[in-house]
Amino acid sequence: MKKLILSGILAIGSVLAVKAQTVKFGVKGGLNLAKVTNTDDAKTRASFYAGGLVNVALNESWAIQPELLYSGQGTKVKTNTILGTLESTLKTDYINIPVMVQYSIVPAFYLEAGPQLGILAGAKEKIGSKSYDVKDQMKSIDFGIGVGFGYKFDMGLGVSGRYNFGLTNIEDSGNHNSKNSVAQIGLFYMF
């Protein structure tokens, strides 16, 4: 399945590169504010994302931008028990592959939306002072949708913001329908 998806992305990218007016490469990174939905007492967990991108301009207004990103996600939970407050943190590491369609309202400012494939690289849960590997309790693939905006300065530097909401349950078992919810803000640089 992964080979089929990768082959499809490469084929689409090849066709777009032939029809494209401009192809630019870049890097990006920034702050993640992540949370897992449908988890009682869930709080936001701050982490980071970083990776590379290819921006394929189809014309002056439209572009397609596939990216390959490391993304630190998860959530924090505080639960009140008879013995006091119990704190736990779920730290998940994803390799995310978003493919964003961008529309430039003016040459420097754009809006974007598109699908995202996430591959789980690691998952640990820290309860109190003890840490446990919980990767085998989670699904290895996460599908989502991203919506965002960005502003490109003339020198190649830019700022962007995006919200990614998961469409699939990330737990391998259980009664919860837990999904990723990640807000991102960061910088990018186009070469």
Side-chain angles (χ1 to χ4, degrees), residues 36 94 137-139 142 168-172 178-180:
V36 175
Y94 281 91
Q137 298 172 21
M138 302 186 71
K139 292 186 179 170
D142 178 41
T168 56
N169 183 8
I170 62 170
E171 292 183 16
D172 209 15
S178 301
K179 298 176 183 177
N180 283 312

Side-chain angles (χ1 to χ4, degrees), residues 5-20 23 54-56 58 64-66 99:
I5 292 171
L6 183 58
S7 297
I9 290 171
L10 290 174
I12 291 169
S14 298
V15 170
L16 292 174
V18 170
K19 293 186 175 189
V23 176
V54 178
N55 186 278
V56 181
L58 302 175
I64 294 182
Q65 183 168 292
V99 180

Side-chain angles (χ1 to χ4, degrees), residues 117-154:
L117 170 70
I119 302 166
L120 183 66
K124 294 193 181 210
E125 185 168 21
K126 185 176 180 183
I127 301 173
S129 61
K130 297 193 179 195
S131 184
Y132 305 94
D133 188 339
V134 294
K135 184 178 177 187
D136 59 342
Q137 298 172 21
M138 302 186 71
K139 292 186 179 170
S140 59
I141 300 293
D142 178 41
F143 291 101
I145 298 287
V147 293
F149 63 91
Y151 187 86
K152 303 174 199 173
F153 298 100
D154 290 335

